[in-house]
C-alpha cells in the first residue's frame, strides 16, 4: 500500500497537468490529504463508489501516460547517472562516459 | 514554414506515443514523407479538407502536450547544460555548478 502510494505520488508529479480538475481534486484529497473514500464522498457529495471509480480510472490514466512517455523511469535513470557524476568529480574520463549516457537518455 | 516543420518534428518526437494511429499516419505522410494534402487525400480516400483538419487538430494536440509537460523545452535546456559540461571537463567546480542545474531541471 505504501509502495502504491509512492508510485502514484511519483506519477502524479509528472503527469498531473494532463488530468482534469476533478481527477486532480480526488487524487489530492485521497493521496495527499489522506482522506478516506467515505470522507471524500461526503466532501464532494458524490457516492463512495463513484469516488472510488474516478480514483482507479485516474491511476490507470497516469500509468498509461507512463507506459507511453516513461518520464518517471527516465527521471530515475537520469538521477542515478547524476549521482555517479557527483561521485566522480576527480575523474574526467568517468564523467565523459556518464555525460554520454545522459545524452543517450534524451 | 521550415521553422514550423522543425517545430512539429520535434513535438512529434516527444509526444507521438500519445497520438492515435490515424493522427500518426497523417503526420507521417505530411511531415516526413512530404506528401501534399491532395496526395494524402487520394492515399487515404478522405477529403482534402478532412486531412487538413486532422493535421491542424493533431498539431494543436502536440502543442497542448508541450504546454503541459514542456518536454521539448526541458530537453533543449538539458542539452545546453550538457554541452557546457563537455566544454568544462578540466574544471570540477564548473561541472558541479552545471550538475546542480541539471538536477533542478528534473
Amino acid at each position: 500500500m505504501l509502495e502504491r502510494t509512492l508510485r502514484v505520488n511519483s506519477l502524479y508529479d509528472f503527469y498531473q497537468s494532463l488530468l482534469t480538475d476533478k481527477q486532480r481534486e480526488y487524487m489530492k484529497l485521497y493521496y495527499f490529504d489522506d482522506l478516506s473514500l467515505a470522507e471524500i464522498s461526503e466532501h464532494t457529495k458524490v457516492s463512495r463508489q463513484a469516488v472510488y471509480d474516478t480514483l482507479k480510472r485516474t491511476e490507470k490514466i497516469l500509468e498509461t501516460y507512463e507506459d507511453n512517455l516513461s518520464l518517471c523511469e527516465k527521471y530515475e535513470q537520469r538521477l542515478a547517472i547524476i549521482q555517479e557524476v557527483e561521485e566522480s568529480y576527480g575523474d574526467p574520463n568517468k564523467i565523459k562516459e556518464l555525460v554520454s549516457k545522459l545524452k543517450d537518455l534524451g
Side-chain angles (χ1 to χ4, degrees), chain A residues 6-64:
Chain A
L6 289 174
R7 168 77 174 168
V8 173
N9 265 274
S10 182
L11 293 173
Y12 185 86
D13 267 357
F14 283 101
Y15 303 111
Q16 58 176 290
S17 63
L18 302 178
L19 299 177
T20 65
D21 289 343
K22 186 177 113 179
Q23 289 166 341
R24 261 197 300 268
E25 185 193 0
Y26 285 28
M27 293 297 278
K28 193 180 160 299
L29 293 171
Y30 189 73
Y31 281 103
F32 300 89
D33 300 344
D34 213 25
L35 298 193
S36 68
L37 294 177
E39 288 168 326
I40 298 174
S41 167
E42 181 147 339
H43 176 84
T44 56
K45 315 289 180 215
V46 168
S47 76
R48 196 180 168 292
Q49 183 63 44
V51 171
Y52 176 82
D53 291 344
T54 298
L55 282 170
K56 282 296 130 192
R57 200 165 50 242
T58 304
E59 288 177 29
K60 204 163 168 231
I61 289 168
L62 293 174
E63 290 288 0
T64 302

Side-chain angles (χ1 to χ4, degrees), chain A residues 46-101:
Chain A
V46 168
S47 76
R48 196 180 168 292
Q49 183 63 44
V51 171
Y52 176 82
D53 291 344
T54 298
L55 282 170
K56 282 296 130 192
R57 200 165 50 242
T58 304
E59 288 177 29
K60 204 163 168 231
I61 289 168
L62 293 174
E63 290 288 0
T64 302
Y65 280 127
E66 178 64 9
D67 287 344
N68 283 309
L69 296 176
S70 306
L71 297 187
C72 285
E73 190 188 340
K74 283 186 183 173
Y75 171 77
E76 277 159 29
Q77 290 173 341
R78 201 177 294 124
L79 201 62
I81 296 172
I82 287 176
Q83 280 166 351
E84 268 198 88
V85 170
E86 292 179 316
E87 292 158 8
S88 311
Y89 283 130
D91 186 346
N93 285 332
K94 180 74 180 169
I95 292 186
K96 276 182 204 179
E97 181 196 320
L98 293 167
V99 165
S100 164
K101 276 194 199 174

